[in-house]
Amino acid sequence: MAAVPSTEAQGKAQLKKGFVVLISLALFVLVAFALARPAMTAVASFLDVGSEPARADLIFLLGGDIHTRPSKAAELYRRGVAPKVLLARAIDSEATKLGALPNETDAAARLLQILGVPDSAVVVLRPPVGVSSTTAEAVELRKYLLQNPASRVLVVTSSYHTRRARWQIKRQLYGIPTEVSMVAVYDPRFDESNWWRTEPGIIVYTEEYLKFVHNWIFGVAGRR
């Protein structure tokens, strides 16, 4: 007749089993954490296709972040990288229509001047209604280049926006012999190594991927 394990022996076996499970879980968490950081960094790095700015015919400043983008465009101008800065005027917000706030593009143009870009070097494209998307800005750039050919354009925008912006602009400039280079502007609140630790970073990168997918699905055929 087989011996029945004592209660003490059963308790030790369960304790040993629990200890093994606990160690296994701890190792899993450590491995997951070790792999998560490179993965999250790679997610952000994929969106950044900015490069070192080379001499160009003009700087195309995209709207969207007046706190960081205009200062980068002004810096490039002061360095002599390009002789002019081009902007497409944004659609007026309700606050602008009521006179409470200036138009976003008008404010950016004014900021450029304060930062050392003379009024003669700032070109504001003024479509009838105004632009409200990267695609619309790219359309205005195409119209401008058809009348004012350029060999190279530097596009200034936020780092996380460079890939989608480049895709949209190159689609709109198809057939026009202009080289497009992206200049990345980095947000002081977060970067590719820590964006998932801040609320603004999570919002920005999540929205950017959603916009990229939306643009690809609804704008993949032809130009729009």
Side-chain angles (χ1 to χ4, degrees):
M1 183 174 179
V4 178
S6 65
T7 301
E8 182 179 356
Q10 290 178 339
K12 289 181 178 180
Q14 290 177 348
L15 182 62
K16 183 178 180 180
K17 183 178 180 180
F19 182 73
V20 171
V21 170
L22 183 62
I23 293 297
S24 299
L25 286 173
L27 288 174
F28 175 80
V29 170
L30 289 174
V31 171
F33 181 79
L35 294 177
R37 184 182 182 90
M40 298 298 273
T41 300
V43 164
S45 297
F46 174 76
L47 295 178
D48 184 359
V49 294
S51 59
E52 186 65 25
R55 178 71 181 171
D57 298 294
L58 63 91
I59 298 164
F60 188 43
L61 173 59
L62 297 184
D65 189 348
I66 195 172
H67 302 291
T68 59
R69 298 179 189 178
S71 59
K72 184 63 175 181
E75 174 198 329
L76 294 174
Y77 175 84
R78 293 195 305 269
R79 284 168 50 188
V81 176
K84 65 179 64 176
V85 182
L86 187 71
L87 307 89
R89 194 173 191 273
I91 189 171
D92 287 335
S93 66
E94 288 302 315
T96 299
K97 292 176 182 177
L98 293 172
L101 292 174
N103 176 278
E104 173 190 317
T105 309
D106 295 343
R110 175 59 182 152
L111 184 55
L112 287 172
Q113 294 168 19
I114 293 172
L115 293 171
V117 184
D119 182 64
S120 59
V122 178
V123 179
V124 180
L125 307 178
R126 299 179 181 275
V129 177
V131 299
S132 59
S133 67
T134 303
T135 302
E137 289 177 292
V139 169
E140 294 307 313
L141 176 60
R142 176 183 176 83
K143 294 176 182 178
Y144 178 84
L145 291 175
L146 287 173
Q147 300 296 322
N148 306 272
S151 297
R152 178 184 291 128
V153 174
L154 295 181
V155 181
V156 174
T157 190
S158 301
S159 60
Y160 50 81
H161 184 226
T162 52
R163 180 174 289 275
R164 181 167 62 92
R166 184 183 68 175
W167 182 70
Q168 289 284 22
I169 290 171
K170 285 189 172 183
R171 285 174 59 240
Q172 297 299 333
L173 300 189
Y174 180 78
I176 296 179
T178 299
E179 180 184 345
V180 175
S181 297
M182 308 304 294
V183 179
V185 181
Y186 296 93
D187 195 303
R189 300 170 298 173
F190 53 81
D191 58 33
E192 296 171 355
S193 68
N194 62 13
W195 63 271
W196 62 91
R197 295 180 179 177
T198 69
E199 183 176 338
I202 292 174
I203 292 172
V204 161
Y205 279 99
T206 301
E207 284 187 345
E208 189 58 33
Y209 268 99
L210 290 174
K211 289 176 181 179
F212 204 124
V213 171
H214 176 273
N215 288 174
W216 189 84
I217 292 174
F218 294 101
V220 69
R223 296 190 298 270
R224 70 176 186 88

